Amino acid sequence: MLKDITLGQYFPGDSVVHRLDARTKLVLVIVYIVALFQAQSWLGFGLVTLVTAGCVAASRIPPKTMFKGVKPMLFIIVLTAMLNIFYTSGTPVLPGWIITWEGISRACQMVLRIVLLISGTFLLTYTTSPIALTDGLEMLLNPLRRLHVPVHEMTMMMSMALRFIPTLIEETDKIMSAQKARGADFETGGLVQRAKALLPILVPLFVSAFRRADELAVAMESRCYHGGEGRTRMKQLRMGRADHIALFLGAAFLAAMIALKRLGL
Amino acid sequence: MAEIKAEGLTYVYSAGTPFEKTAIEDVSLTIGQGELVAVIGHTGSGKSTFIQHLNALLTPSAGRVLLDGEDINRDKYSRRDVKRRVGLVFQYPEYQLFEETVYRDIAFGPRNMKLPEGEIDERVREAARFVGVDEGLFEHSPLELSGGQKRRIAIAGVIAMRPEVLILDEPTAGLDPAGCAQLQENICRYREETGSTVLLVSHNMDDVARLAGRVVVFDHGRVVMDGSPAEVFSHAGRLLEIGLNVPRASELALALRKKGVPVPEDVFTHERLLASLLALREGRPC
């Protein structure tokens, strides 16, 4: 079922990670990514893995769900591993072999890096509702308004797009079911035939997407929406003590990673 | 012959995630050849999930669906086959129209069945006649027609497959009263002429009381009542309790009984109510 797609889906919960301010989490994810790319040795990777595992545990998201998110990237992960194993020079595993110890080690580190990157960013979308996320983003990007960047409009569009992903998935599901009930076949046939089979889904989907966009625009206008100027919020984002502690820990983590890299460990 | 039997049907949405939800639980039901069954229930009571099992769009988490004694989820072929034999018209089916012309949209189902052109043509015309779509509309785009006409064309698209069982999910929702009445008449005529089994999901109890030979009530994913309209609507109090409407006549009869007027419990149509009230006035037993 299409509904089972977990890519970037929010899992409601009440853990420490869920309660952190969206801005904190956004900053921490950037810190995390920078720190991750400082890791060069096994010691560094070990530290990042430990921190990631700690965060996942604190978020109470089941590890199974985290791995489900990694699954769609499996192809890229395997490809990266293969390339690194075969194209790294060094001491061969066996005399005359193309595979080297260095290659294996590089491949493992690359795979670990990708998996950690995905897990870290997914932790953000798993624990933060899309609305909080775009609100956080809007406030973080607010300084850009001085440069006449339409920050509010951009984040509004983003939150609308996010808001309508599940709706459109549901709609697609419904249309697919209806066409299947009329004997449409999406699973067999060659590439051209399958592409053609999508037409009975795409046409109704576009028609309804445009209709929905129209209705949404009317609904927003009739509630006096006129852009970001002077707009207030029902849910105010507030930084608390937990946020300050989290930011401090993030900074310490980044410093440790940079120090490890400088020391060549 | 087409007898549909559900045995211990259970379906769980998003199993294994925080969004897990049991939509239907242990539903067992047999629907015989030629019956006109109305399925009623609150929004989210599981009736839509139930009907999607009947043509193998959903695979049960537990239990089986049998069509003439054979499990419809046996293999890939039986799952495809059942979609031709059990036609399902979704809620707001007009949103599934996509072809350039009305004719081609109705022909989509038969064409998927890989029928010869001649037979497709015959079926399209027959289906259009059943739903009251004029052949003059055949070359129009379905998207430029009125809502009621779109609805008819979408239903014709399913009827053109000549299903032995026709399932309609709220076919009259959002239509004007005249359109409603006409569509119901079309459905009844279709059933009489072809002898097919018809399942009707509806919120309109007056329609259910008038049309159905049997009423099945869903509540919280289970079948809580199953019987003739007279039987089901005699429990008007219970129906109101689970958040359903009852036919106007039943409602009125219930109110009268509360006031001490001895109207019999099985009154659910205007005609019966009038007759029993007249009888009461004249002091006859009703």
Side-chain angles (χ1 to χ4, degrees):
Chain A
M1 281 277 272
L2 281 167
K3 271 183 206 147
D4 294 334
I5 294 175
T6 53
L7 195 82
Q9 202 177 37
Y10 172 54
F11 278 79
D14 192 33
S15 70
V16 187
V17 185
H18 281 88
R19 278 196 305 268
L20 282 182
D21 191 291
R23 284 168 293 178
T24 313
K25 281 188 268 189
L26 275 164
V27 170
L28 283 179
V29 164
I30 295 166
V31 166
Y32 174 83
I33 294 171
V34 174
L36 177 61
F37 281 92
Q38 304 302 317
Q40 308 240 298
S41 62
W42 284 109
L43 187 64
F45 275 104
L47 184 60
V48 182
T49 313
L50 215 67
V51 168
T52 315
C55 291
V56 172
S59 73
R60 298 209 204 108
I61 301 275
K64 218 176 96 190
T65 314
M66 295 300 301
F67 283 116
K68 238 175 152 178
V70 175
K71 240 197 210 152
M73 310 293 279
L74 210 60
F75 175 72
I76 292 173
I77 293 173
V78 171
L79 189 76
T80 318
M82 285 298 162
L83 289 178
N84 277 292
I85 285 183
F86 289 113
Y87 292 101
T88 309
S89 51
T91 28
V93 175
L94 284 171
W97 271 33
I98 190 172
I99 300 172
T100 61
W101 288 114
E102 283 83 354
I104 293 176
S105 152
R106 270 279 285 282
C108 288
Q109 290 188 349
M110 282 312 259
V111 168
L112 199 58
R113 185 171 278 166
I114 298 175
V115 171
L116 287 173
L117 188 64
I118 298 170
S119 309
T121 42
F122 268 28
L123 197 58
L124 173 73
T125 52
Y126 276 157
T127 59
T128 321
S129 75
I131 299 294
L133 206 58
T134 43
D135 274 0
L137 201 62
E138 183 178 347
M139 291 181 78
L140 281 180
L141 293 179
N142 236 349
L144 291 180
R145 278 241 295 262
R146 297 251 167 85
L147 306 173
H148 297 289
V149 178
V151 174
H152 171 78
E153 282 69 19
M154 274 162 58
T155 50
M156 189 61 164
M157 274 195 267
M158 208 172 104
S159 59
M160 265 192 247
L162 284 171
R163 155 69 185 79
F164 277 99
I165 287 173
T167 313
L168 286 179
I169 287 179
E170 209 173 287
E171 190 101 12
T172 314
D173 232 21
K174 243 193 235 159
I175 295 169
M176 266 175 96
S177 297
Q179 306 298 26
K180 266 193 209 160
R182 292 163 80 192
D185 183 3
F186 305 117
E187 273 112 36
T188 55
L191 203 61
V192 178
Q193 217 174 349
R194 278 201 206 192
K196 262 189 180 164
L198 286 181
L199 210 63
I201 302 176
L202 291 181
V203 175
L205 192 61
F206 269 96
V207 171
S208 87
F210 279 115
R211 184 174 45 85
R212 240 179 242 287
D214 239 16
E215 282 169 6
L216 183 68
V218 171
M220 285 170 80
E221 252 176 27
S222 61
R223 282 188 252 168
C224 307
Y225 176 79
H226 58 83
E229 212 59 52
R231 202 171 150 76
T232 54
R233 294 171 193 290
M234 188 168 111
K235 280 191 184 165
Q236 297 276 357
L237 291 176
R238 268 203 198 90
M239 299 276 239
R241 234 181 76 197
D243 293 293
H244 296 136
I245 295 172
L247 285 172
F248 174 74
L249 287 177
F253 171 52
L254 182 61
M257 291 305 295
I258 291 173
L260 276 180
K261 190 187 176 190
R262 281 285 156 84
L263 293 171
L265 282 171
Chain B
M1 290 302 282
E3 184 199 70
I4 290 196
K5 194 170 180 179
E7 285 181 352
L9 218 55
T10 300
Y11 189 77
V12 184
Y13 275 109
S14 312
T17 70
F19 303 106
E20 185 172 300
K21 188 177 174 293
T22 306
I24 52 172
E25 205 172 351
D26 197 22
V27 172
S28 297
L29 210 61
T30 307
I31 294 153
Q33 160 75 28
E35 275 194 274
L36 203 166
V37 182
V39 178
I40 61 178
H42 209 249
T43 312
S45 62
K47 53 191 191 323
S48 289
T49 310
F50 171 69
I51 57 170
Q52 287 186 53
H53 278 89
L54 301 182
N55 74 343
L57 274 176
L58 293 178
T59 313
S61 306
R64 300 193 296 168
V65 180
L66 306 173
L67 182 61
D68 286 339
E70 289 198 55
D71 190 345
I72 61 167
N73 289 304
R74 201 172 53 247
D75 53 40
K76 207 167 88 187
Y77 303 101
S78 69
R79 289 166 65 93
R80 198 164 62 195
D81 192 44
V82 73
K83 294 197 176 65
R84 293 168 188 179
R85 298 183 57 193
V86 180
L88 178 55
V89 180
F90 279 86
Q91 221 167 0
Y92 301 106
E94 54 271 32
Y95 294 147
Q96 75 195 28
L97 300 173
F98 71 98
E99 277 285 12
E100 286 159 45
T101 68
V102 168
Y103 182 89
R104 289 176 51 152
D105 211 291
I106 301 178
F108 180 67
R111 199 153 274 152
N112 283 328
M113 293 164 76
K114 311 233 170 359
L115 297 170
E117 269 317 305
E119 168 130 35
I120 292 177
D121 187 65
E122 185 188 315
R123 287 188 176 204
V124 170
R125 286 174 202 285
E126 181 197 80
R129 189 173 54 79
F130 271 129
V131 296
V133 169
D134 190 70
E135 293 199 4
L137 290 177
F138 275 0
E139 292 311 313
H140 285 254
S141 161
L143 301 178
E144 68 189 24
L145 301 177
S146 75
Q149 278 170 323
K150 280 187 199 171
R151 178 84 49 98
R152 284 161 200 287
I153 289 156
I155 295 174
V158 174
I159 286 181
M161 297 171 78
R162 289 200 184 137
E164 295 158 55
V165 180
L166 182 65
I167 305 173
L168 301 122
D169 193 349
E170 299 224 30
T172 56
L175 292 185
D176 57 64
C180 268
Q182 206 189 344
L183 191 58
Q184 281 163 359
E185 194 193 302
N186 292 335
I187 294 166
C188 285
R189 197 166 49 112
Y190 170 77
R191 177 171 157 269
E192 278 158 24
E193 286 185 29
T194 59
S196 26
T197 311
V198 176
L199 233 82
L200 206 65
V201 175
S202 183
H203 272 303
N204 189 331
M205 297 305 150
D206 288 307
D207 296 347
V208 170
R210 204 172 60 240
L211 300 171
R214 178 178 166 196
V215 180
V216 175
V217 184
F218 272 79
D219 186 36
H220 289 105
R222 290 172 181 276
V223 174
V224 289
M225 276 187 232
D226 180 1
S228 68
E231 279 162 18
V232 170
F233 291 128
S234 67
H235 303 287
R238 171 91 178 94
L239 285 172
L240 291 170
E241 213 176 275
I242 59 178
L244 287 171
N245 286 324
V246 292
R248 290 260 184 72
S250 289
E251 211 173 337
L252 207 53
L254 190 71
L256 285 170
R257 270 199 299 281
K258 276 192 185 147
K259 294 247 178 219
V261 184
V263 184
E265 291 230 311
D266 62 347
V267 167
F268 60 91
T269 59
H270 299 297
E271 293 78 13
R272 275 279 285 142
L273 181 63
L274 186 64
S276 50
L277 285 178
L278 286 174
L280 278 172
R281 196 176 61 177
E282 289 164 19
R284 280 187 283 121
C286 42

